Amino acid sequence: MNFLVTGGAGFIGSHVCERLLHDGHAVWTFDDLNPFYDPQLKRRNLRDIQSLAPWNNSAKDPATAGSPAYSTGRAKPFEFVHGDLTDRAALDALFGSVKFDQVIHLAARAGVRPSLEEPALYQRVNVEGTVNVLEAARNHRVKKIIIASSSSVYGVNSKVPFSESDPIFSAISPYAASKLACESLGHVYHHVYGMDVTMLRLFTVYGPRQRPDLAIRKFATLIHAGKPVPVFGDGNMARDYTYVTDTVDGIIAATQKEFGFEIFNLGESQTVTLGRLIELLEAALGKKAVIDRRPVPPGDVPVTFADITKARARLGYHPQVKIEAGIKLFIDWFWKNTG
């Protein structure tokens, strides 16, 4: 099949592209390589994807070349398209040039705390950008689309673990609000236009290629350098850390059948406190952390915890990598990619 993966140069997206290619599909990715973090890291991700198969003589390296789209020339190609979600014409041109079977929409402005500084940017990219993807799919008769949502939509939820049926009216960041809006848009496009839309609420994904602003990679970098690790609150904030291969398993499972409109949690269904996370990183790195305690910032929720009953039953989703093993796997990658 022909898959479009938006945000395919990023952390999760690059893993999804690799899995699809391994499964024999043709993959296009649409990514703006924005400077939210170092674009060179995204270019490295693209090179990792390209290394799956040899290039032909006419192909260019999409991680370094300047024109918008390139192909490996393989029977099952990988193509990178440099573009912005808010550019409707660019998306329409792409959908007009390729007959996509499915779209996996992962591209977004990410992060709760940065969204507090630029709420209008998050609305424009995440909400308007998602409308543009949905419109391009609708206009070019692509029926099935999978969209990444976030555990942040649960906000300050007193009921744990979080279930897809929980009321979600307590978002506490612009990022969370933008993801809630995307879920509503997905329902509209299913209800009005008959599209098959699956929303995946992702829970604190980590692993190789993790963004440098995310806690596990950020803390590992600071501990390794002997620099203070900022700990917000007393260390008892807890997250449902999910290893990237488990998340990718859930995303791929969502491509296997039609659901009409459904929302699924993709988490590990276990919580790990910040204090315990740091202990695991210290053990894996062989070095103690220097702790810099700070007050909890606005937008941070005290706990995330996924009820994955629905995903187990409907997707066959069964996460395999517990945090103890996942941290070791991440640190193995970290050592290989740290100068």
Side-chain angles (χ1 to χ4, degrees):
M1 289 197 292
N2 290 343
F3 279 88
L4 172 63
V5 180
T6 70
F11 165 38
I12 301 171
S14 61
H15 286 278
V16 170
C17 288
E18 284 190 339
R19 181 74 65 84
L20 290 169
L21 288 167
H22 277 303
D23 290 346
H25 299 292
V27 181
W28 284 252
T29 187
F30 186 88
D31 199 301
D32 67 355
L33 303 180
N34 69 68
F36 179 74
Y37 61 94
D38 186 357
Q40 291 303 320
L41 297 178
K42 300 173 189 177
R43 297 181 190 279
R44 182 186 300 173
N45 294 343
L46 289 171
R47 286 192 289 270
D48 287 347
I49 300 169
Q50 293 150 14
S51 69
L52 293 175
W55 292 79
N56 67 7
N57 292 333
S58 64
K60 299 178 182 178
D61 181 349
T64 57
S67 57
Y70 307 91
S71 172
T72 62
R74 289 175 285 183
K76 294 295 186 182
F78 171 73
E79 291 197 10
F80 166 66
V81 180
H82 190 191
D84 189 324
L85 289 177
T86 62
D87 185 346
R88 290 186 63 178
L91 281 166
D92 191 64
L94 175 58
F95 277 78
S97 67
V98 181
K99 182 173 176 53
F100 293 116
D101 296 292
Q102 294 190 35
V103 175
I104 301 175
H105 178 40
L106 305 177
R109 280 285 175 163
V112 166
R113 292 171 196 161
S115 77
L116 301 174
E117 303 298 323
E118 297 184 282
L121 174 64
Y122 277 68
Q123 185 278 332
R124 186 168 67 253
V125 174
N126 295 2
V127 182
E128 180 185 333
T130 297
V131 171
N132 290 343
V133 173
L134 285 164
E135 275 293 274
R138 180 176 74 91
N139 291 333
H140 293 277
R141 303 182 187 281
V142 182
K143 183 178 181 181
K144 185 168 179 61
I145 182 167
I146 294 160
I147 302 176
S149 185
S150 166
S151 62
S152 66
V153 302
Y154 289 106
V156 182
N157 192 356
S158 59
K159 173 185 165 294
V160 292
F162 302 162
S163 172
E164 295 91 342
S165 60
D166 292 346
I168 47 170
F169 302 111
S170 56
I172 58 171
S173 71
Y175 173 70
S178 75
K179 288 298 185 179
L180 273 173
C182 291
E183 291 190 4
S184 295
L185 286 164
H187 184 267
V188 167
Y189 273 75
H190 164 68
H191 180 74
V192 177
Y193 305 116
M195 293 174 64
D196 190 84
V197 183
T198 304
M199 307 295 312
L200 301 178
R201 292 176 179 167
L202 308 185
F203 281 71
T204 318
V205 186
Y206 73 101
R209 304 189 192 132
Q210 187 176 31
R211 298 195 329 251
D213 61 296
L214 293 176
I216 289 176
R217 185 169 183 180
K218 179 179 179 179
F219 289 1
T221 301
L222 292 171
I223 294 170
H224 174 60
K227 296 180 179 179
V229 174
V231 174
F232 298 99
D234 59 6
N236 286 321
M237 294 178 70
R239 294 290 180 266
D240 193 338
Y241 293 101
T242 313
Y243 196 70
V244 65
T245 55
D246 286 334
T247 298
V248 172
D249 286 346
I251 293 171
I252 297 302
T255 70
Q256 301 302 305
K257 61 180 74 171
E258 294 186 359
F259 296 99
F261 176 81
E262 284 292 354
I263 298 171
F264 295 102
N265 288 336
L266 294 185
E268 211 66 22
S269 201
Q270 62 175 343
T271 59
V272 179
T273 65
L274 190 56
R276 174 59 177 157
L277 176 68
I278 291 172
E279 289 175 359
L280 290 170
L281 287 168
E282 289 175 330
L285 290 164
K287 193 170 185 178
K288 293 292 288 183
V290 179
I291 303 299
D292 173 19
R293 296 207 177 272
R294 300 182 183 182
V296 177
D300 276 23
V301 297
V303 63
T304 63
F305 186 2
D307 181 341
I308 58 173
T309 303
K310 183 178 177 181
R312 286 185 188 276
R314 301 288 303 279
L315 295 176
Y317 173 70
H318 298 286
Q320 301 295 312
V321 184
K322 299 301 182 185
I323 188 71
E324 293 79 8
I327 290 296
K328 291 178 182 177
L329 290 169
F330 169 76
I331 293 300
D332 286 345
W333 173 87
F334 177 80
W335 287 133
K336 294 172 184 175
N337 290 272
T338 299

